[in-house]
Structures are given as C-alpha cells and as structure tokens.
Amino acid sequence: MTMTQTEPKAFEWVYCPQEYGPDSLESYCPGGYHPVHLLDTFCNGRYEVVHKLGTGSYSTVWLARDNHADRYVALKIMRSKYSGTSNESRILRRLHDYRENNPGIQGGDAMPTLLDEFDFDGPNGCHKCLVSKFAGYSIRTSRDVSNQIWQFPLQVARAITAKAVLGVHFMHKAGVVHGDLHKANVMLQIPNIDHLSVDELYSKFSAPYKELVRRIDGKPLDSSAPAYTVLEINAWVRAEDVTESDTIITDFGEAYLADSGPPEELCTPLIYRPPESLLEIGTIGMPADIWTLALTLVETMGKSTLFEVFGGDKDDIMAEIVSALGQPPETWWKAWHKRHEFFNEDGTWLDEDVIDANNRFQDAFSRPLKDRIISRTKRDGNPLADDEIDALVAMLEGMLKYDPEERSMIEDVMRSEWMKKYGFPAIEAEEEKKRLKQVSPSKEPQDSTETLVAPCADLEISSGDPNVGTTEVEQLVDTSSHDTPTETSHDTPTETLHDISPARVSELQPISIETATTPSSIAQDPQEATIDPISNPTSDPSEDYQPSSTTVTDFDPSSNNEVNHKDDNNDEISRTENSVNTIAGPSSDPSKGYKAAETTPTDSTTIPNDEADHTDTSDDSLNSLFDGEIWSEPELTLDHV
C-alpha cells in the first residue's frame, strides 16, 4: 500500500465548552438562550442592544439604550425553559414595595430597581426579559483585574462591607432570602453614563468584540443560534483605584420569600455554602445568607477567600471549615460521613500521608479563623490594628456558627462592635466627602433624570446589521477553507480594542477589520406618559406582592413582525438548518442565511421608577440583575450567579 502524505492543516480555533467561550453555545437551542445581536431592538425600538454585559447559567444580560427614557439599561433575557418558573421579578417587586412603604429602613439603596419586564417569543421559545438599571461591576471583577494588589483601599473596603450588611438587613426585613450571595453578586456602581452617546460609551469602556459562530459540520446555522458572540464590556475599576462604595446586591434569580419555604438545594457556588447545605442537615433559610455574607465580607476586606480548596468537593470544604472553626457540635460531626478521611474521631488530624492516600489535598494542621483574617487583611505586609482584627473576628465568629439557629441574625451583625467602630464611620466619612464635592461641583455632566414612561404597547424585535457596532478589532481567522471576511470601509473614525486576552491572541492569526461604529439613536425628546404607580403595598413582608395596577397588552397574531438579518448587500437571507453543533471561529460571512423566527409579545409591564433623582447609576457590575459577572475575558466556567 502506498502512503501519501497529507498537507498539514492550517491553524483553526476550535470552541471547547469547558475551556473557552463567552457563551455556552450548546445552550442556544429550544428552551435555551435567545440569540441576540448588536443593534437588535425590543418593544418597537424602545430598547436597542449596544453591548454585552454577561452570561449566566439561566440568562444572558445585555446593555441597551432606552430610547424613550434616554438612558442605559440592562436587559436580562432568561433561557426559555426557566422563563415561566422564575420568581425574580416577583422578588424585585416585593423589595420595591417594601422600600416605598418603609423609607426609614436602612439598606434600600443597595437593592436593584426593576424598571420594566416583558415576555417575547423567539426561535428557542418564550423568554422573559427583566429591564433594570445598568449597575456597574462586581467586587470579584474589580479584584480580578487588579494590578497584583487585589485589595480595595481600607476605608472603601470598610464602607462596601458595611453597605453589604445594610443591604442584607433590608432584604431580611422585607422577608426575602437571597439564596445566592457572593462576591460576584455584590456590585459597585459606575456614575455618569446616561449622558454618553453609544460611541462615547465605546470610547470610555470598550467597543464590542465579536467572535463568529459556525457549525462543525459546515452547514448553515439555523435561527436558534447567533451569527456571532460578543465579549463582555470592559466597564470596571481596579480594586486599588476604587474611591466610592456605592453598592448594589444583584441577581435574585435564586431568591425566595422566607415564609414560602426553602428551596430543595442552594445554587450558591460550593465554596460559599454553609454546613447545613454541605451536610444536608437542618433547614435552608436566612442563616444561610448570613454565612455567605460573612465569606463575602472577608473577601471584601482582604485579598483572598476564607476557605481555600484546590479542585475539591464538599468534603474538602468541610475540612477547611473545621480547620478554621474547630470541631462542630456532635450532631453535625456525626452527620459528616467522610470525616474519617481527614480526622480522627476526637477531631485531631490524621497523619498527612494518610490524608494524601485518601486523595485529599489538605494540610494536616489547623489554621484558626483569627490567623486567617490577619493574613488575608494585611496591607503592604502590615496587619490591621489589633482592635479592628478582634472586632472583625468577633463579628465573623457569630456569623459562622455551625448551627443556623445559633448563628447571628442580621440585626446582631448591625449591632456588632466592628460595624459601630469601623463600618458605619466609613460610610459617614464617604458621605461627607460627597457633600463637600457638592459644595464645589465639578464640570462633569450628571446622569439624566429618569422618566416614567408607559410600557410598550406591543413587541417587535428587529435585528440590525451584524457588521455594524464594532470598531477596528482583531478577528479570529480560520485559514482552513474559508476566505477572509471583508467589510466595507467607512469614513467613521475607528480605534483599536486592546483588551483581548494576550494569551489567546498570541495563539491566533489576527487581521484588522474596519467597520462602522454603532450610530447612536437616542430620543431627544423622551416620551413621557402617566402610569398608575404601585400603590397600597402591604407592610407585612410575609404577604405576597400584589401591585395595584399592571398594564398588560394583548397581542394580535395578525401583527407578527419578522426578525431579519441582512448581508453586506442588504439582502434578506433565511436559514433552514435545524440542529445546532457550533464552534467559535471565523467564517466567510457570519450573516449568511439567518432569519429568526417571528416574535410574539405576550406580556409587557412597567413599574414606576423610585430612583429618579439618583445620579450614581451603573452595574456584574454590569447589570443590576446579572446572574453572571463581567470581565475582559470570558470565564472558563460559568457559576450560577
């Protein structure tokens, strides 16, 4: 047999769902994500998509321009399979209701604001969309992008910590359990953005970076998948550069009412889960929020997590908890069935070689809570003052009791010595600085005042040209069998995006593609309409939220609007392939053959905006409801945020 040498294949970037990807592309299927493209519009053009904020297990979140109210908002578009069962909008309305009726309760400013919600039909099913303020960036993101400092300035860290405590205090007073509290869901707001045009927004943060999507088998994509994915906007401040602590607690997708009974299990990242979840003993409730709040506070005040495991499971985490807090009460000790892989029955450590033989990565010695706090909160190699360390440890010890019935309540945390001596004074000092700034206001433009508008009467999703909306960026090139994509050059000024991962770019063959920047379509005269405010809310947090009036618009099937993508020649194209098996990589034309399913609005509701005079707006975090956090590179794995 004669062997023939095959030509070596040119480099090709292949999508691997466990190692790469701004989205889980396999989730663009019936019941999954809705395919969103830049310049897509919702509600008859009211909301125009301008950038990506993040991706979570249950939703994607997009930055959009509200052309009626002349402001930026976050659109949280849920996966179809979860849209009918999500409790999030009900929880957010409950918090809004409680804040309106209890203005004296501290912590309401740390709650997100639901501006609008609606349902629509897409190629993958019916999706619920929650519209909220553009919040900013998460404390996790801020630390992750730090220039090897990974800490907030001390006074800022104290204020963020105290405001997170106030936020949980407000939630619990309203009868709401968050159920997923951690550093990715505590956001810092970005002020002064509503006055920016879309082009100015791109210049200030980052222009959209698109990566093309194609199927492994080479067939055209069908309407269930996007023509390209978009990397998240780089809208964050490094931890060491943060000067203000305007804090928002976000992502209430796992939240529930305290009187409605706990969920079957927590969806909180494993490292944050309390013993009652890890050992499946006791009940899940408000004490679980106290536990996760304590771990979040440690990361806010310090530079690393309280419990550290390397590729471990819940038993490795329990060993870390015992290392820090000591042996648990007998009932909890006996409930841990794998304790013998780490400890003797009396709570002393096994020999390290025995632990290693059990395939456990745990040092055979304890590191008490106080020692961990001292090491994690050091600044420039120097520990915090002894008095503050003692007060912080005392507060955390109460929050980290094994038995949830013995754990501190949020009122106990509010009354702690650390909050009185360090937390509240930090907030007061920051507020005083803001008052001094108001005496000598800067020339920087302020955010536009929010305007109440009527909900959209019907829903139309129109997709813009996928080639519009990016400045000059580096595209990934597939040199195996496709021609290099070309774009029409415009006279519009361009700029280069520099925030792509150096590690990834070094492996790719980049080309520069010059495209038109996204035009800003901002209403100069926002339409205003009078709507019925939410009135007569109950003051009893155990009762379900019942708005006094809701605007619901029936949809006439005869008025269906098609969603079309157009190619470079402005010709409409349709796609007919069904199965989706996609990889991220370039194709000769990402827009070929796309025609999304018709969209059918099924419900549209707008609630009054109670923060019309708030000038510090923002979000990850990048969205005040983000179930995922933002970062200049996509996460390798996605937590349910």
Side-chain angles (χ1 to χ4, degrees), residues 154 158 301 370 373-374 377 383-396 416-423:
L154 180 56
R158 289 167 174 161
M301 288 294 296
K370 184 173 182 177
I373 297 302
I374 291 174
T377 58
L384 296 179
D386 291 344
D387 288 348
E388 183 166 5
I389 288 290
D390 291 341
L392 184 59
V393 170
M395 181 179 72
L396 293 172
S416 68
E417 181 183 1
W418 187 88
M419 285 291 289
K420 292 178 180 178
K421 293 181 64 175
Y422 303 98

Coordinates of all heavy atoms in Angstrom, one line a residue, residues 154 158 301 370 373-374 377 383-396 416-423:
L154 N -8.5 50.7 52.3 CA -9.1 50.2 53.5 C -10.4 50.9 53.8 O -11.4 50.2 54.2 CB -8.1 50.5 54.7 CG -8.6 50.0 56.0 CD1 -9.0 48.5 56.1 CD2 -7.5 50.3 57.1
R158 N -14.1 49.0 54.0 CA -15.0 49.1 55.2 C -16.4 49.5 54.8 O -17.4 49.0 55.2 CB -14.4 50.0 56.2 CG -13.2 49.6 57.0 CD -12.5 50.7 57.7 NE -11.4 50.3 58.5 CZ -10.4 51.1 59.0 NH1 -10.5 52.4 58.7 NH2 -9.4 50.7 59.7
M301 N -12.8 42.8 52.6 CA -11.8 43.4 53.5 C -10.4 42.9 53.1 O -9.4 43.5 53.4 CB -12.1 43.1 54.9 CG -13.3 43.8 55.5 SD -13.0 45.6 55.6 CE -11.7 45.7 56.8
K370 N -8.9 33.5 63.3 CA -8.2 34.8 63.6 C -6.9 34.8 62.7 O -6.6 35.9 62.1 CB -7.9 35.0 65.0 CG -7.2 36.3 65.3 CD -7.1 36.5 66.8 CE -6.5 37.9 67.1 NZ -6.4 38.2 68.6
I373 N -7.8 35.6 59.2 CA -8.2 37.0 59.0 C -7.0 37.9 59.0 O -6.9 38.9 58.2 CB -9.2 37.4 60.1 CG1 -10.5 36.6 60.0 CG2 -9.5 38.9 60.0 CD1 -11.2 36.7 58.6
I374 N -6.1 37.7 59.9 CA -4.9 38.5 60.0 C -4.1 38.4 58.7 O -3.7 39.5 58.1 CB -4.0 38.1 61.2 CG1 -4.6 38.4 62.5 CG2 -2.6 38.8 61.1 CD1 -3.9 37.9 63.7
T377 N -6.1 40.1 55.5 CA -6.3 41.5 55.5 C -5.1 42.4 55.6 O -5.2 43.6 55.8 CB -7.3 41.9 56.7 OG1 -6.7 41.5 57.9 CG2 -8.6 41.2 56.5
P383 N -0.4 44.0 59.2 CA -1.8 43.6 59.6 C -2.6 44.8 60.0 O -2.0 45.9 60.3 CB -1.5 42.7 60.7 CG -0.2 43.1 61.3 CD 0.6 43.6 60.2
L384 N -3.9 44.7 60.0 CA -4.8 45.7 60.6 C -4.5 45.8 62.1 O -3.8 45.0 62.7 CB -6.2 45.3 60.4 CG -6.7 45.2 59.0 CD1 -8.2 44.8 59.0 CD2 -6.6 46.5 58.2
A385 N -4.9 46.9 62.6 CA -4.7 47.2 64.1 C -5.4 46.1 64.9 O -6.4 45.5 64.5 CB -5.3 48.5 64.5
D386 N -4.8 45.7 66.0 CA -5.3 44.6 66.8 C -6.8 44.8 67.2 O -7.6 43.9 67.2 CB -4.5 44.5 68.1 CG -3.1 44.0 67.8 OD1 -2.8 43.5 66.7 OD2 -2.2 44.2 68.7
D387 N -7.2 46.1 67.5 CA -8.6 46.3 67.9 C -9.5 46.0 66.8 O -10.6 45.4 67.0 CB -8.7 47.8 68.3 CG -8.1 48.1 69.7 OD1 -7.7 47.1 70.4 OD2 -8.0 49.3 70.0
E388 N -9.2 46.3 65.6 CA -10.0 46.1 64.4 C -10.1 44.6 64.1 O -11.1 44.0 63.8 CB -9.6 46.8 63.2 CG -10.6 46.6 62.0 CD -10.4 47.6 60.9 OE1 -9.5 48.4 60.9 OE2 -11.2 47.5 59.9
I389 N -8.9 43.9 64.2 CA -8.9 42.5 64.0 C -9.8 41.8 65.0 O -10.6 40.9 64.6 CB -7.5 41.9 64.1 CG1 -6.6 42.3 62.9 CG2 -7.5 40.4 64.2 CD1 -7.0 41.7 61.6
D390 N -9.7 42.1 66.2 CA -10.5 41.5 67.3 C -12.0 41.7 67.0 O -12.8 40.8 67.2 CB -10.1 42.0 68.7 CG -8.8 41.6 69.1 OD1 -8.3 40.6 68.5 OD2 -8.2 42.2 70.0
A391 N -12.4 42.9 66.6 CA -13.8 43.3 66.4 C -14.3 42.5 65.2 O -15.4 42.0 65.1 CB -14.0 44.8 66.2
L392 N -13.5 42.4 64.1 CA -13.9 41.8 62.9 C -14.0 40.3 63.1 O -15.0 39.6 62.7 CB -12.8 42.0 61.8 CG -13.1 41.4 60.4 CD1 -14.5 42.0 59.9 CD2 -12.0 41.8 59.4
V393 N -13.1 39.7 63.9 CA -13.2 38.2 64.2 C -14.4 37.9 65.0 O -15.1 36.9 64.8 CB -11.9 37.8 64.9 CG1 -12.1 36.3 65.4 CG2 -10.7 37.8 63.9
A394 N -14.7 38.8 66.0 CA -15.9 38.6 66.9 C -17.1 38.6 66.0 O -18.1 37.8 66.2 CB -15.9 39.6 68.0
M395 N -17.2 39.5 65.1 CA -18.4 39.6 64.3 C -18.5 38.4 63.4 O -19.6 37.8 63.3 CB -18.3 40.9 63.4 CG -19.6 41.0 62.5 SD -19.5 42.6 61.4 CE -18.2 42.1 60.3
L396 N -17.4 37.9 62.8 CA -17.5 36.8 61.9 C -17.7 35.5 62.7 O -18.4 34.6 62.1 CB -16.1 36.7 61.1 CG -15.9 37.8 60.1 CD1 -14.4 37.7 59.6 CD2 -16.9 37.7 59.0
S416 N -22.9 44.9 65.9 CA -21.5 44.5 66.3 C -20.6 45.6 66.5 O -20.8 46.7 66.0 CB -21.0 43.5 65.2 OG -20.7 44.2 64.0
E417 N -19.5 45.4 67.3 CA -18.5 46.4 67.6 C -17.9 46.9 66.3 O -17.6 48.1 66.1 CB -17.5 45.9 68.5 CG -16.4 46.9 68.9 CD -15.4 46.4 69.8 OE1 -15.4 45.2 70.2 OE2 -14.4 47.1 70.2
W418 N -17.6 45.9 65.3 CA -16.9 46.3 64.1 C -17.8 47.3 63.3 O -17.2 48.3 62.8 CB -16.6 45.1 63.3 CG -15.7 45.5 62.1 CD1 -14.3 45.6 62.0 CD2 -16.2 45.9 60.8 NE1 -13.9 46.0 60.8 CE2 -15.0 46.2 60.0 CE3 -17.4 46.1 60.2 CZ2 -15.1 46.7 58.7 CZ3 -17.5 46.5 58.9 CH2 -16.4 46.8 58.2
M419 N -19.0 47.0 63.2 CA -19.9 47.9 62.4 C -20.0 49.3 63.1 O -19.9 50.4 62.4 CB -21.3 47.4 62.3 CG -21.4 46.2 61.3 SD -21.2 46.7 59.6 CE -22.8 47.6 59.3
K420 N -20.0 49.4 64.4 CA -20.1 50.6 65.1 C -18.8 51.5 65.0 O -18.9 52.7 64.8 CB -20.5 50.4 66.6 CG -21.9 49.8 66.8 CD -22.1 49.6 68.3 CE -23.5 49.0 68.6 NZ -23.7 48.7 70.0
K421 N -17.7 50.8 65.1 CA -16.4 51.5 65.2 C -15.8 51.7 63.8 O -14.9 52.6 63.7 CB -15.4 50.8 66.1 CG -15.8 50.8 67.6 CD -14.8 50.0 68.4 CE -13.5 50.7 68.4 NZ -12.5 50.1 69.4
Y422 N -16.1 50.8 62.9 CA -15.4 50.9 61.6 C -16.3 51.0 60.4 O -16.0 51.7 59.4 CB -14.4 49.7 61.4 CG -13.4 49.6 62.6 CD1 -13.7 48.7 63.7 CD2 -12.3 50.3 62.6 CE1 -12.8 48.6 64.7 CE2 -11.4 50.3 63.6 CZ -11.6 49.4 64.7 OH -10.7 49.3 65.7
G423 N -17.4 50.2 60.4 CA -18.3 50.1 59.2 C -19.1 51.4 59.0 O -19.0 52.1 58.0

